[in-house]
Amino acid sequence: MVHLAATATLTAATPGNHPPVVDGLYALLGQLLGQALPWLLLALLVWVPVYLLGCWLWPFGNCRGCGGTGKRKAPGLFGKAFRTCPRCDGSGLQLRAGRYLINRLLANYRAARRHDDRRERQL
Ligand SMILES: [Zn+2]
């Protein structure tokens, strides 16, 4: 149990405790988090389905390496020479992270279904 003596000193009476400033910061942080956490959770609950729906409808985004052009400036002193982007093989497209996650989950689900179907046939 933490025991604070009623003194005029700024440090707590028990050795190893935080100074009052740190305790105040912890209290402030807890208060802010307590007020913001429900809103953050609500925003997350809205944002995640909207993002996944967007990933379902538009699975590809612009490649981050070339900005969607499919071309990158050739290295060295070749002036305005371009080469195809190695990241997207010149397509300019990149699978979104959410769509990658959806594809992995669907593949996992289908593999599990196949496994279950095979087991039912054997029984
Ligand atoms: Zn690219």
Side-chain angles (χ1 to χ4, degrees):
M1 185 176 145
V2 178
H3 178 75
L4 299 175
T7 61
T9 57
L10 289 175
T11 56
T14 314
N17 269 353
H18 303 294
V21 175
V22 174
D23 286 338
L25 283 176
Y26 277 135
L28 184 67
L29 188 68
Q31 199 175 6
L32 286 175
L33 213 62
Q35 289 172 354
L37 201 60
W39 292 106
L40 286 173
L41 287 175
L42 185 67
L44 203 68
L45 283 175
V46 171
W47 180 78
V48 167
V50 170
Y51 174 71
L52 290 178
L53 181 69
C55 289
W56 184 262
L57 294 174
W58 299 285
F60 294 102
N62 280 343
C63 172
R64 281 187 290 165
C66 60
T69 60
K71 292 183 275 184
R72 293 187 76 167
K73 193 176 177 305
L77 305 168
F78 296 111
K80 292 184 176 179
F82 286 93
R83 61 185 169 90
T84 54
C85 174
R87 213 179 154 112
C88 61
D89 286 330
S91 69
L93 300 174
Q94 188 176 22
L95 198 64
R96 293 179 193 269
R99 184 57 188 246
Y100 176 79
L101 183 71
I102 290 171
N103 288 350
R104 290 298 302 259
L105 290 174
L106 281 178
N108 202 8
Y109 171 75
R110 288 174 186 144
R113 286 290 303 257
R114 276 196 302 273
H115 181 74
D116 283 351
D117 289 348
R118 253 183 253 141
R119 260 182 44 189
E120 281 177 13
R121 264 186 252 131
Q122 285 173 355
L123 293 176

